[in-house]
Amino acid sequence: MKPSPLKYHRPRSIEEACEVLAGVDGKVLAGGQSLIPMLSMRLAAPGTLVDITGIDRLDSITASAESGVTFQALATHASLASNPGANDVQPLLGRTLQLVAHATIRNRGTTVGSIVHADPSAEVPAVLVLLDGSVTVQSVRGRRDIAARDLFLGPLESSLEPDEIAISATVPAARRGVGTAIDEIARRHGDYALVGVAARVEVEDGVVTNARVTYVSAGEFGEVIDYTDVIGGASVSDDRDPLWNVLSEAARKRVETEADIHATARYRSQLVAALTARVVMAAARDGALSLATRPSTLRVDAGEK
Amino acid sequence: MTNRDVETQLSDLMAETGEQHVVVSFTLNGTKQTIIVPARTIASDAIRHNLRQTGTHVGCEHGVCGACTILLDGKPVRACLMLAASLEGQSVTTVEGLVEPDGTLHPVQQAFMDCHGLQCGFCTPGFVTTIAAFLEENDAPTQEEATEAIAGNICRCTGYQNIKASVLRAAEIKRERAGEFPLGKDDESSRAALEGKVRGKTNPVGGRAGRA
Ligand SMILES: Cc1cc2nc3c(=O)[nH]c(=O)nc-3n(C[C@H](O)[C@H](O)[C@H](O)COP(=O)(O)OP(=O)(O)OC[C@H]3O[C@@H](n4cnc5c(N)ncnc54)[C@H](O)[C@@H]3O)c2cc1C
Ligand code: FES
Ligand code: FES
């Protein structure tokens, strides 16, 4: 349970970090909440470790109704979850982070790290895809943005090149008429979820016009499942039982689940069915509510918030 | 040690062991420390082995049990999920550092005694550091908040009831030492935890340290 020998660098700037990382078998060390266990168990043995936690001013969080929420590589789960601006502009982010690990882990783990780590049982990647977010990466070759849908190639595999450092991630602001919700079942609050579900539902005149869902620990990693054909046209105030049932049935058919030591595939499938209905309905209600409570983008920009 | 000496030492170590060593300077329980360790050294090992502060326990070594929790600039973090090298320039408090210079136990330590919040004690340092930091942010927790505060720490012996009671009790001691009324806003929660569910010997509000 100890890491194998490695070369360690603690650069003072992003540029310096990119230079060290260019052309070596190296890994970025951010919060270490996923990487250090992998090193200790020797599931990973990079020759070089580039510890970016010594870089100044890489932990900012900016939020505006126009450009959404942008958080830099060293913004921790804890700081992002408690950022009032971020919670105003995109409330789903904070609600999601409350489900990520325990407070002690959130103090050190970074949200950008969670994204590029690309763990199918992590909440943030699912939400980034759901909200059409993106990450900005840098290397000696320059900067580029990667859209969430192009980011996740498979479990623990992102489309970052080995020499690229993610410097920030962005999620768009919540819009009027678009509701979101997330929920999960874990054996103990703070542990990885057996199944998690995040939904984004558009509502117009009290009627659902679009419903999309992403999953944690279920289905194809990084995939968005569209339920508009199932509940499009339904009224948010409709009797919930029929809607609940069609959503559950559809989810059971559309989402594949697998067994591991924590749960059987069948149990996961039941969780998928129940949670999909619960979360989509909650998102629909949130969308309807947002029409009454969320200021329109224009008004926020005009500074009348 | 001059810089020159340090450089020589690092290159000697490289030649002898074939691996990179690093110099790390940080504050441990108020004292400035400088150590030279292999770059791959985990912070919990540096604290225990190099600096002999063995209060920080190591259970799972992958972030799950919480026994190794230390305070980094006042915030609880897992010492087993950090490299010692990343401690550079930081301030670390371990369970040893929570005792007052005159030997008075920290309210959380006192509460664990009052409420019999430990059995074998292996998990205790991690609980104590975690709860100490939690009470800095919330000095009058409810039962539910107390439960949430300890959710990331595992104890194999106690069944958690006495640990939860210790959280509430610690809050009382803290308030009392600050010259405030010891019972919290939710005074039922602290009383009930102490009177109904705690098996060990429970001192009245005030505690041993409070009276001393
Ligand atoms: C006990 C425990 C419970 C947990 N529970 C959950 C949970 O319920 N849900 C959840 O989502 N997560 C959970 N986590 C993981 C935690 O959220 C981590 O914070 C997160 O996965 C990784 O962030 P990090 O900053 O610690 O990254 P690190 O561990 O430092 O890095 C992880 C990976 O990402 C790469 N990386 C990190 N930052 C960058 C960057 N800026 N550029 C390029 N590459 C980078 C690293 O090279 C490494 O491959 C848990 C962790 C622990 C220890
Ligand atoms: S030893 Fe660090 S969390 Fe278990
Ligand atoms: S008291 Fe024994 S592990 Fe907690």
Side-chain angles (χ1 to χ4, degrees):
Chain A
M1 298 293 278
K2 307 290 174 196
S4 45
L6 46 84
K7 282 210 193 77
Y8 174 84
H9 290 270
R10 192 179 170 78
R12 289 280 152 201
S13 69
I14 279 287
E15 290 71 26
E16 191 189 336
C18 290
E19 256 156 50
V20 177
L21 210 51
V24 296
D25 154 37
K27 274 245 165 232
V28 173
L29 172 67
Q33 305 301 289
S34 295
L35 183 56
I36 300 279
M38 290 176 71
L39 296 178
S40 287
M41 292 188 243
R42 304 214 176 177
L43 297 172
T48 301
L49 217 50
V50 181
D51 180 351
I52 59 171
T53 58
I55 300 177
D56 256 0
R57 290 189 292 277
L58 194 57
D59 60 356
S60 83
I61 298 167
T62 52
S64 84
E66 201 173 51
S67 54
V69 182
T70 298
F71 42 98
Q72 288 191 298
L74 295 180
T76 58
H77 299 312
S79 63
L80 186 55
S82 64
N83 185 283
N87 280 310
D88 265 2
V89 167
Q90 181 44 267
L92 183 62
L93 207 51
R95 275 186 257 139
T96 302
L97 292 171
Q98 295 302 335
L99 300 174
V100 175
H102 306 279
T104 305
I105 309 287
R106 294 197 293 268
N107 278 338
R108 193 137 180 99
T110 67
T111 309
V112 169
S114 176
I115 291 168
V116 296
H117 186 53
D119 186 339
S121 49
E123 292 83 358
V124 186
V127 164
L128 192 81
V129 172
L130 182 75
L131 296 178
D132 291 319
S134 62
V135 296
T136 302
V137 305
Q138 186 171 330
S139 69
V140 286
R141 291 166 283 120
R143 274 190 193 193
R144 66 181 178 124
D145 291 336
I146 309 174
R149 65 179 170 282
D150 302 323
L151 187 65
F152 303 112
L153 303 179
L156 303 186
E157 213 186 322
S158 78
S159 56
L160 263 69
E161 298 294 333
D163 66 339
E164 282 178 326
I165 301 177
I167 52 174
S168 66
T170 301
V171 293
R175 280 201 285 118
R176 266 164 69 92
V178 180
T180 53
I182 184 166
D183 202 356
E184 67 179 31
I185 302 289
R187 292 173 66 198
R188 181 177 62 152
H189 181 127
D191 285 353
Y192 282 104
L194 296 176
V195 167
V197 176
R200 178 186 181 281
V201 175
E202 292 185 29
V203 179
E204 231 178 270
D205 301 326
V207 169
V208 173
T209 56
N210 183 285
R212 306 194 306 154
V213 174
T214 53
Y215 291 91
V216 176
S217 289
E220 184 85 19
F221 177 45
E223 194 181 28
V224 179
I225 300 197
D226 201 314
Y227 288 93
T228 311
D229 59 325
V230 180
I231 68 155
S235 159
V236 176
S237 56
D238 271 357
D239 187 16
R240 61 168 229 166
D241 284 351
L243 282 181
W244 189 281
N245 291 339
V246 292
L247 276 166
S248 290
E249 265 326 296
R252 210 189 295 276
K253 290 204 187 92
R254 289 176 191 188
V255 182
E256 279 211 26
T257 54
E258 279 176 30
D260 61 17
I261 57 165
H262 304 294
T264 60
R266 181 139 174 263
Y267 178 47
R268 277 217 165 83
S269 183
Q270 273 166 354
L271 294 181
V272 162
L275 280 175
T276 301
R278 186 193 298 175
V279 173
V280 170
M281 306 278 278
R285 278 194 301 277
D286 182 52
L289 196 68
S290 76
L291 289 169
T293 57
R294 195 169 289 151
S296 75
T297 304
L298 275 175
R299 282 182 49 212
V300 172
D301 282 344
E304 278 179 40
K305 203 176 95 187
Chain B
M1 264 190 303
T2 63
N3 279 345
R4 178 94 198 88
D5 290 340
V6 173
E7 289 305 320
T8 318
Q9 212 174 327
L10 287 179
S11 60
D12 286 354
L13 281 165
M14 180 74 188
E16 266 169 45
T17 63
E19 69 171 298
Q20 185 196 354
H21 283 61
V22 289
V23 188
V24 192
S25 295
F26 65 104
T27 307
L28 181 63
N29 298 328
T31 309
K32 186 106 194 271
Q33 302 279 6
T34 299
I35 51 174
I36 297 184
V37 290
R40 59 171 152 155
T41 307
I42 300 291
S44 45
D45 288 337
I47 291 167
R48 289 176 54 80
H49 303 162
N50 298 77
L51 297 166
R52 304 303 300 161
Q53 297 289 293
T54 52
T56 300
H57 290 175
V58 175
C60 65
E61 292 196 286
H62 61 272
V64 176
C65 74
C68 67
T69 306
I70 56 170
L71 304 180
L72 189 66
D73 293 326
K75 293 243 171 72
V77 301
R78 303 286 201 239
C80 73
L81 296 188
M82 278 189 78
L83 287 181
S86 309
L87 293 175
E88 180 63 38
Q90 313 244 40
S91 167
V92 172
T93 308
T94 64
V95 70
E96 290 97 335
L98 290 176
V99 185
E100 305 275 336
D102 70 355
T104 306
L105 294 181
H106 186 278
V108 181
Q109 294 168 318
Q110 183 62 45
F112 269 67
M113 270 181 79
D114 290 357
C115 300
H116 195 53
L118 66 151
Q119 290 185 24
C120 78
F122 192 85
C123 66
T124 312
F127 273 101
V128 170
T129 46
T130 306
I131 296 165
F134 166 72
L135 292 178
E136 290 297 317
E137 311 215 318
N138 181 353
D139 64 0
T142 61
Q143 298 254 17
E144 207 174 303
E145 288 166 343
T147 308
E148 173 74 27
I150 59 167
N153 293 61
I154 293 175
C155 172
R156 305 255 66 177
C157 315
T158 69
Y160 302 102
Q161 294 304 333
N162 289 8
I163 301 179
K164 267 198 285 185
S166 302
V167 179
L168 302 169
R169 175 82 185 112
E172 283 180 358
I173 298 174
K174 227 178 142 196
R175 285 190 295 271
E176 196 187 42
R177 287 191 191 170
E180 290 163 21
F181 185 62
L183 294 186
K185 283 177 256 169
D186 187 1
D187 107 11
E188 208 187 317
S189 68
S190 31
R191 280 283 185 198
L194 285 169
E195 284 162 9
K197 303 206 186 83
V198 178
R199 276 173 294 152
K201 180 170 161 289
T202 304
N203 289 325
V205 169
R208 221 172 289 176
R211 284 197 305 276

